Amino acid sequence: MSSQNKDSASSTGSSEEQQKPPQIEPIRLPTVEEMRGQDIWNNCAVRSVVSGVMGGGLGLFMGLFLGALDNPLMQEEMTGRQMFIYQAKQMGRRSWSSCKAFALMGLVFSAAECVVEKARAKHDTTNTVVAGCVTGGTISARGGPKAACAGCAGFAAFSVLIEKFLDRHA
């Protein structure tokens, strides 16, 4: 029985060794290059242009995908070559239209959020609401004041839902 006590004592000793608290690593200061990169990214113009370009790229791919799904009305009367040409033109039109819309949306939203964030010196959901309202109003302004107000409210609500879903300001 003494050998069993030795085994149990050695097994408890090894489990104590495994339960040591993790080592805390020292804080590392950012390098000069990292600080310059942060300064560049904190510029509202840079952030807005990058968001606009990325939005345009997303719109381009969405337009290509959705344009490929369009079927011509007179599909039975068209040859294979005519259908191919029709679909290629539809993909081009749809992708360019989506590219412009998403680029504008990304540019305006990012610019508005950045400007409001810098003016308020806070990073919270209010910035998202204001940026969503500005973006929705800008996009739907051609439809008149009622459409701009509806776009403002709708895009602000959508922005808050996305913000809560992603939980950025928790």
Side-chain angles (χ1 to χ4, degrees):
M1 289 208 178
S2 64
S3 66
Q4 289 176 349
N5 290 341
K6 288 180 184 177
D7 290 339
S8 64
S10 66
S11 66
T12 58
S14 64
S15 65
E16 289 174 5
E17 291 173 4
Q18 292 174 354
Q19 295 178 354
K20 288 183 179 178
Q23 293 287 333
I24 298 175
E25 294 183 23
I27 296 174
R28 183 183 67 83
L29 294 174
T31 63
V32 174
E33 291 83 14
E34 290 173 338
M35 289 174 28
R36 285 184 187 149
Q38 287 175 351
D39 287 343
I40 290 171
W41 185 246
N42 285 335
N43 185 341
C44 289
V46 171
R47 189 181 293 188
S48 300
V49 168
V50 169
S51 295
V53 169
M54 290 174 67
L58 174 69
L60 186 75
F61 285 113
M62 284 186 64
L64 284 173
F65 176 72
L66 295 174
L69 299 177
D70 281 345
N71 284 328
L73 295 175
M74 301 182 299
Q75 186 174 1
E76 292 82 24
E77 299 173 11
M78 297 175 83
T79 65
R81 183 172 187 230
Q82 289 173 330
M83 285 178 60
F84 178 78
I85 292 171
Y86 174 81
Q87 292 228 297
K89 287 181 179 180
Q90 278 300 109
M91 287 171 61
R93 284 188 209 109
R94 182 76 70 98
S95 64
W96 182 245
S97 173
S98 295
C99 177
K100 290 188 298 185
F102 276 87
L104 178 68
M105 195 181 311
L107 181 105
V108 171
F109 185 86
S110 182
E113 187 177 40
C114 185
V115 167
V116 170
E117 187 175 310
K118 291 206 184 273
R120 294 182 64 231
K122 285 185 179 180
H123 184 68
D124 59 2
T125 309
T126 304
N127 302 342
T128 305
V129 171
V130 172
C133 181
V134 168
T135 304
T138 301
I139 290 172
S140 58
R142 290 183 185 173
K146 284 184 182 179
C149 289
C152 169
F155 209 92
F158 177 72
S159 298
V160 169
L161 287 174
I162 294 296
E163 195 73 26
K164 293 298 180 185
F165 178 72
L166 294 177
D167 204 30
R168 272 191 0 190
H169 300 298

